[in-house]
Amino acid sequence: MSVSSLVLSSLLGASYINPMNVFQSPGGSGCGNSGPASCQSTNTPAADTCCYESPGGLIMQTQVWDTDVAGSPEDSWTIHGLWPDNCDGTYIEDCDPSRDYKNIAGLLESQGASSTLEFMQQYWLNDDGSNERFWEHEWATHGTCYSTLNVDCLPSDSPTGAEAVAFFETVVRVFKTLPTYDWLAQAGITPSYSQTYSLSDLLSALEAGSGGYTPTLSCSRSHKLSSVSWYFNLKGSVIDGDFVPINTPEDTSCPSSGIKYLPKEG
């Protein structure tokens, strides 16, 4: 196991699953994880972007706490996405409309990722429309912008859409290593209609659970806790590289106190 794998394994404990060997061919992406982490090298030639995520090497895994989505699990946050921001915090979107795949559910099933689809149906829910539409949006808007998922980086015999399957399996597996609800609950922070929480208590709980890494918390204008974003750099490919945790570079939108963490009603 690489140094970065050891770091993430220590950070996330027994729940850690080394992302993301989704291709069955020997060697996966063929990149390994001995190279520099994304956003840590300023002289990486363009030819290496199959194995070095660029320009979107500041990777953000965002989870949401939606209180009014039917079927949303009461004891878990849910997935929003896995976004490749640029190293300076800017971002690009919709990078390859020719790969705006439809019927994501069918794509996953046809390529042997039914278990990933089943998990998404429970933990990757749309708060305004169909789940399928949400998944299509996340792939088209963000997934197509990963340089290491460019079709030219895949094994030559990969089926159409294999890079999208890799993306969704990666998102799910990273999400499974970030049990935000459990880390808050371990500190006595649970959803409540009457109790409010301070920003410092919320962050302390998440830092304790994650091994010392600080995420970004977001709140609504009425001080309701709404989302959390965990940040990584990546060594190697999204397909089977190592996600290296880092502290958030962004500011919170939550107040210092009086934060509402409301129960789900959906």
Side-chain angles (χ1 to χ4, degrees):
M1 184 178 288
S2 69
V3 172
S4 57
S5 292
L6 288 171
V7 170
L8 193 52
S9 181
S10 174
L11 164 63
L12 299 170
S15 65
Y16 172 68
I17 304 171
N18 184 38
M20 306 301 169
N21 190 13
V22 299
F23 294 104
Q24 299 303 312
S25 57
S29 68
C31 292
N33 50 29
S34 61
S38 58
C39 297
Q40 303 302 313
S41 175
T42 58
N43 298 309
T44 302
D48 288 345
T49 56
C50 284
C51 294
Y52 179 83
E53 191 58 53
S54 177
L58 179 63
I59 299 176
M60 176 172 55
Q61 204 286 310
T62 298
Q63 304 174 12
V64 293
W65 184 256
D66 286 323
T67 60
D68 57 356
V69 176
S72 184
E74 296 180 357
D75 59 351
S76 177
W77 292 54
T78 53
I79 301 169
H80 192 161
L82 189 71
W83 305 334
D85 285 1
N86 298 331
C87 299
D88 62 3
T90 61
Y91 59 88
I92 54 177
E93 296 180 340
D94 303 303
C95 295
D96 188 355
S98 71
R99 294 189 291 142
D100 288 0
Y101 303 124
K102 305 300 181 183
N103 189 16
I104 299 300
L107 187 64
L108 291 168
E109 288 182 329
S110 68
Q111 297 191 26
S114 295
S115 60
T116 295
L117 174 60
E118 291 173 3
F119 189 89
M120 289 165 55
Q121 289 169 336
Q122 185 175 5
Y123 293 98
W124 198 339
L125 308 177
N126 194 350
D127 64 355
D128 184 23
S130 71
N131 294 337
E132 175 67 38
R133 182 178 178 183
F134 190 18
W135 304 335
E136 291 173 359
H137 167 82
E138 287 300 307
W139 164 251
T141 305
H142 306 289
T144 60
C145 295
Y146 282 98
S147 70
T148 60
L149 291 181
N150 189 292
V151 291
D152 293 335
C153 301
L154 307 183
S156 59
D157 58 350
S158 298
T160 299
E163 76 280 20
V165 174
F167 168 76
F168 287 106
E169 292 211 321
T170 296
V171 178
V172 165
R173 292 183 186 180
V174 172
F175 173 78
K176 287 180 177 180
T177 67
L178 298 167
T180 299
Y181 183 94
D182 293 342
W183 287 340
L184 291 172
Q186 288 166 9
I189 298 174
T190 56
S192 171
Y193 288 112
S194 58
Q195 179 71 35
T196 62
Y197 301 99
S198 70
L199 179 62
S200 61
D201 285 346
L202 291 165
L203 290 178
S204 292
L206 296 175
E207 289 165 358
S210 66
Y213 293 90
T214 305
T216 297
L217 290 174
S218 297
C219 292
S220 69
R221 291 183 179 179
S222 57
H223 299 175
K224 296 176 183 177
L225 192 58
S226 59
S227 70
V228 60
S229 295
W230 299 92
Y231 285 84
F232 299 88
N233 292 145
L234 177 64
K235 299 188 73 172
S237 168
V238 170
I239 296 170
D240 54 5
D242 286 345
F243 284 73
V244 182
I246 61 173
N247 290 324
T248 176
E250 302 294 334
D251 294 329
T252 182
S253 63
C254 295
S256 60
S257 61
I259 298 172
K260 304 170 187 175
Y261 183 22
L262 298 179
K264 293 186 179 182
E265 299 176 346

